[in-house]
Amino acid sequence: MEKIILTGDRPTGRLHVGHYVGSLRRRVELQDSGEYSKIFIMIADAQALTDNAENPEKVRQNIIEVALDYLSAGLDPKKSTILIQSQIPELTELSFYYMNLVTVSRLQRNPTVKSEIQMRNFEASIPVGFFTYPISQAADITAFKATTVPVGEDQMPMLEQTREIVHKFNSVYGETLVEPNILLPDNKACMRLPGTDGMAKMSKSLGNCIYLSDPEDEVKKKVMSMYTDPEHLQVSDPGHLEGNTVFTYLDAFSKDDMFAEYCPDYNNLDEMKEHYQRGGLGDVKVKKFLNSVLQETLAPIRSRRAEWEKDIPGVYELLKKGSEEAEKVAAETLRDVKEAMKINYFEDKALITEQSERYSS
Ligand code: TRP
């Protein structure tokens, strides 16, 4: 079977290094692997509006930011179709039919929705659109017949819900939709990169993110003030790795050849960790190394961004083309869905014959 990727992000802010190791880097590898016949990358603005209904300007402003982050991370519009969710009306139509296949209690049990409701203080008044966004996400995935959805582990419940909808649809209406598989990051540190302050999640409001678009000095400043081991007061003290953000970042970003280049005292991260735990390795030295590692990673991203920033109309044009191309695919799926559901009355010759026979007999 053809292998097709669909994934995406809500345009609510610029993308940070957590997005990079958690998904963007992988997407570029998958794109360049040549294993996939189609790759769709969605800017999920309609989903972003489900909890930002009163803040459309935020979503509108961040479309271009996310698009620039995609392109600068190495997504290539010749190989990957970048699209804007709201420009594909077929997705809304699919969602409407899928809604009949999901119960309220099933949505209430979705762990991601549950925790997001808490985070947003929605308990008393959950917007219906927000509550049902897992259904619209199932539409996103199935519309493009995606076989593979590379996302972070927080999206696992969404994929499960999608698979249930696919099962239910196919068993009620006949084999129509493709069951997607989740593709999780393969490195544990990449699953959920903590904020620079050691908090579990990077978030704009906590100010603990390193953005892909941060300039060199900003990255350095953030790295040098990163959370490490509070008990590691003197260089000679033994240090702890558990919960030590700098080492988590090194797990996610460093490669052996970077040691030869920037910190030749060690051959690899294990040796550096060992010295840190033994005592005698100061935080500043480790942070300086992490800074070099991050700068090496971010430099090509920064320079690609600078190029694309010179042609903003070109970026919008590419999003328009991508959305148009994507709509054609979604329209095909919607046609299949309506046929399976037998709501394609005007194409249904048998229906017309059946009804005229009924009336002529
Ligand atoms: N829910 C995803 C997020 O918050 C964004 C998203 C929307 C998505 N539609 C999708 C991800 C379809 C994968 C597939 O990041």
Side-chain angles (χ1 to χ4, degrees):
M1 194 168 69
E2 239 191 327
K3 287 167 78 180
I4 299 173
I5 285 181
L6 176 115
T7 185
D9 304 274
R10 297 181 194 180
T12 52
R14 289 181 290 152
L15 302 181
H16 50 61
V17 292
H19 293 114
Y20 183 70
V21 291
S23 62
L24 287 178
R25 183 169 65 185
R26 186 70 168 293
R27 286 181 203 172
V28 176
E29 285 166 14
L30 294 168
Q31 166 192 272
D32 296 337
S33 75
E35 271 188 50
Y36 295 87
S37 54
K38 277 260 150 217
I39 300 176
F40 297 96
I41 311 289
M42 169 186 287
I43 301 181
D45 61 337
Q47 187 177 110
L49 286 166
T50 65
D51 64 337
N52 285 284
E54 270 117 85
N55 211 350
E57 193 55 27
K58 172 165 119 188
V59 174
R60 180 169 173 265
Q61 294 296 334
N62 279 306
I63 301 266
I64 189 76
E65 295 301 332
V66 171
L68 285 168
D69 286 333
Y70 282 169
L71 294 165
S72 53
L75 287 175
D76 175 352
K78 290 194 198 77
K79 299 180 189 161
S80 300
T81 306
I82 306 178
L83 62 127
I84 304 181
Q85 188 185 26
S86 63
Q87 304 308 297
I88 323 290
E90 286 80 359
L91 298 175
T92 324
E93 219 173 317
L94 286 172
S95 306
F96 192 69
Y97 297 127
Y98 295 171
M99 282 188 185
N100 303 331
L101 308 175
V102 182
T103 64
V104 171
S105 67
R106 176 63 184 87
L107 283 171
Q108 277 165 334
R109 270 186 284 119
N110 184 309
T112 306
V113 175
K114 247 171 142 166
S115 74
E116 285 177 327
I117 286 173
Q118 260 174 7
M119 260 161 40
R120 289 166 180 67
N121 287 321
F122 273 167
E123 281 96 341
S125 55
I126 309 168
V128 174
F130 176 78
F131 185 60
T132 57
Y133 93 72
I135 303 176
S136 110
Q137 191 157 334
D140 299 341
I141 295 168
T142 54
F144 300 101
K145 302 191 168 73
T147 53
T148 312
V149 183
V151 280
E153 62 174 344
D154 62 316
Q155 296 296 305
M156 235 141 70
M158 300 299 153
L159 262 290
E160 245 167 70
Q161 185 119 44
T162 301
R163 291 164 63 91
E164 279 174 38
I165 291 173
V166 169
H167 263 269
K168 181 91 190 198
F169 189 99
N170 288 348
S171 71
V172 175
Y173 302 113
E175 221 36 56
T176 311
L177 301 174
V178 177
E179 210 176 299
N181 288 303
I182 191 167
L183 189 62
L184 292 168
D186 42 16
N187 169 335
K188 214 157 161 240
C190 300
M191 281 268 209
R192 194 166 287 177
L193 202 68
T196 52
D197 56 358
M199 299 291 277
K201 232 181 136 109
M202 270 190 244
S203 93
K204 187 152 83 189
S205 52
L206 293 172
N208 62 358
C209 308
I210 297 176
Y211 292 102
L212 290 177
S213 48
D214 275 345
E216 192 173 337
D217 54 338
E218 185 76 23
V219 173
K220 182 162 189 201
K221 209 167 78 194
K222 288 177 179 174
V223 170
M224 296 316 285
S225 63
M226 239 161 138
Y227 180 83
T228 57
D229 169 13
E231 287 166 41
H232 189 235
L233 299 173
Q234 314 247 331
V235 172
S236 56
D237 290 340
H240 299 91
L241 302 175
E242 184 80 3
N244 190 321
T245 317
V246 177
F247 279 97
T248 310
Y249 274 55
L250 286 174
D251 278 328
F253 285 97
S254 73
K255 300 194 199 106
D256 288 355
D257 63 352
M258 292 170 167
F259 282 89
E261 173 108 32
Y262 306 111
C263 199
D265 293 356
Y266 311 100
N267 288 307
N268 54 47
L269 187 54
D270 286 336
E271 285 183 24
M272 180 181 244
K273 283 179 175 172
E274 211 246 332
H275 191 190
Y276 190 79
Q277 287 175 296
R278 197 168 68 228
L281 170 55
D283 282 347
V284 171
K285 183 164 173 176
V286 186
K287 284 178 172 176
K288 281 195 170 146
F289 176 58
L290 174 61
N291 179 57
S292 306
V293 166
L294 283 180
Q295 301 294 357
E296 180 176 319
T297 309
L298 296 176
I301 298 178
R302 218 174 266 137
S303 65
R304 268 192 300 263
R305 198 179 221 273
E307 284 307 305
W308 283 107
E309 282 173 356
K310 290 184 203 147
D311 184 22
I312 297 297
V315 178
Y316 277 106
E317 188 54 33
L318 154 181
L319 293 173
K320 182 167 176 240
K321 286 232 173 70
S323 302
E324 284 165 0
E325 204 182 305
E327 187 180 4
K328 287 194 194 118
V329 179
E332 263 174 53
T333 304
L334 180 62
R335 205 176 342 98
D336 297 345
V337 159
K338 290 174 103 169
E339 188 183 323
M341 293 177 70
K342 299 194 180 298
I343 53 173
N344 60 337
Y345 312 113
F346 308 128
E347 279 142 43
D348 189 349
K349 298 253 159 54
L351 169 74
I352 301 172
T353 315
E354 183 189 317
Q355 297 301 343
S356 45
E357 277 170 4
R358 198 160 65 83
Y359 272 96
S360 63
S361 60

